[in-house]
Amino acid sequence: GTNGATGPTGPTGANGTNGATGPTGPNMFSVFYNSAGSLADNRYLRWTSQANQEFEAQLLMGFTGTISNLNILLDVAPGSTGPTAYTRTFTIRKNGVNTALQVVISGSSLQGSNNVNIISFIPFDKISLLHTQSSINMLQSNAIGTAILKII
């Protein structure tokens, strides 16, 4: 024979149990530096400028964490005179003191990275990026850079 009419929908079943919470993702972000002009010796890089005084370029940390993975790109290589290669050095400083997180770019190179050293900090530590050069006779260059801040 023929099928009968469909009956009423039954009650909704109980919800299942929740699955386990997944791992917390890393709390990381980049800090950016840009000289916004020709680099000068013993200057502190900021976003779109340089400063003569370190205090003007320091980042005040508001959490406990680390800074690492310093990467620098120049638009003009430091160059050389004869066998002597000029160098540009970029150093992360913490509370006015140089750290091991440093990038040295020399000769015909345009870029450098330090993905080895990790510097820890706590709230109220001050972080800055210092540029120094080996000679006043080197070609003028702009610089951009990034570093990774991680909240721990």
Side-chain angles (χ1 to χ4, degrees), residues 6-133:
T6 303
T9 301
T12 302
N15 287 334
T17 57
N18 288 333
T21 301
T24 301
N27 291 321
M28 296 188 302
F29 55 94
S30 293
V31 60
F32 300 95
Y33 297 96
N34 187 326
S35 65
S38 295
L39 290 163
D41 193 26
N42 287 309
R43 292 283 177 91
Y44 298 91
L45 273 68
R46 301 187 282 200
W47 173 246
T48 69
S49 67
Q50 301 171 61
N52 291 322
Q53 301 298 318
E54 185 171 19
F55 187 80
E56 297 171 355
Q58 288 175 320
L59 302 173
L60 181 64
M61 298 294 101
F63 52 87
T64 298
T66 60
I67 185 166
S68 62
N69 298 79
L70 179 61
N71 298 287
I72 303 291
L73 176 67
L74 303 175
D75 66 346
V76 177
S80 61
T81 298
T84 303
Y86 296 134
T87 62
R88 292 191 183 279
T89 303
F90 298 85
T91 306
I92 293 289
R93 292 169 53 87
K94 182 173 99 174
N95 299 324
V97 178
N98 288 351
T99 70
L101 188 51
Q102 180 181 83
V103 170
V104 178
I105 303 173
S106 62
S108 61
S109 296
L110 289 172
Q111 63 191 30
S113 296
N114 180 331
N115 298 319
V116 175
N117 299 100
I118 299 172
I119 307 305
S120 62
F121 57 81
I122 59 174
F124 293 98
D125 278 346
K126 298 173 297 293
I127 302 294
S128 61
L129 178 61
L130 173 65
H131 163 260
T132 57
Q133 60 192 42

